[in-house]
Amino acid sequence: MRLALDEAGVAALGGDVPVGAVVLSPDGTTVLATGHNEREATGDPTAHAEVLAIRRAAAHLGEWRLSGCTLVVTLEPCTMCAGALVQSRVDRIVYGARDEKAGAAGSLFDVVRDRRLNHRPEVIGDVLADECAHLLTEFFRDR
């Protein structure tokens, strides 16, 4: 989560909402890819930290299936990212701050654990939640 927080800081420096993500290999020790929000930087509404990180991890592996991998992200994924995580077949999602307004891993929605879907990753929330939330609060306070 500390590496994801570092990525979130990079997003904030570029004027983007400070969210950072890291994809770990199945052994849980190797970083396959990182990402941070780049919507403002690229003008791409899909340039969320999670989407960028899983795209980069898939490119690194040469495979779209991220079976066994873990995504660590500073903010609970939104519905778009939750759908992408299900489709990429990540095994585990670890997030920091809950997103009561748009979270899709248990707060507002629970897309990733919907029993109607063919893949349901494990979800671990509230990891360094206060630090992750503080970064977001400071960013929006400064705006």
Side-chain angles (χ1 to χ4, degrees), residues 58-137:
H60 176 83
L61 293 174
E63 164 79 52
W64 66 266
R65 289 177 191 86
L66 301 180
S67 301
C69 294
T70 299
L71 177 102
V72 180
V73 62
T74 57
L75 181 64
E76 180 182 359
C78 69
T79 54
M80 175 184 70
C81 293
L85 291 164
V86 169
Q87 291 300 314
S88 70
R89 308 297 196 267
V90 298
D91 277 11
R92 188 171 305 100
I93 300 166
V94 178
Y95 71 84
R98 292 173 56 89
D99 187 348
E100 300 293 337
K101 293 180 181 177
S107 290
L108 184 60
F109 303 106
D110 202 352
V111 171
V112 296
R113 290 180 285 205
D114 189 316
R115 293 208 173 274
R116 295 169 291 184
L117 299 175
N118 66 336
H119 179 75
R120 290 179 300 279
E122 174 186 9
V123 177
I124 301 167
D126 300 320
V127 176
L128 298 180
D130 291 340
E131 288 182 52
C132 294
H134 179 74
L135 192 58
L136 290 159
T137 300

Side-chain angles (χ1 to χ4, degrees), residues 11 14-19 36-49 52 75 78 80-81 139-140 143:
D16 272 285
V17 176
V19 178
H36 56 267
N37 277 0
E38 295 182 20
R39 291 183 307 169
E40 297 298 330
T42 63
D44 178 356
T46 69
H48 287 206
L52 296 173
L75 181 64
C78 69
M80 175 184 70
C81 293
F139 176 81
F140 287 111
R143 293 198 120 195

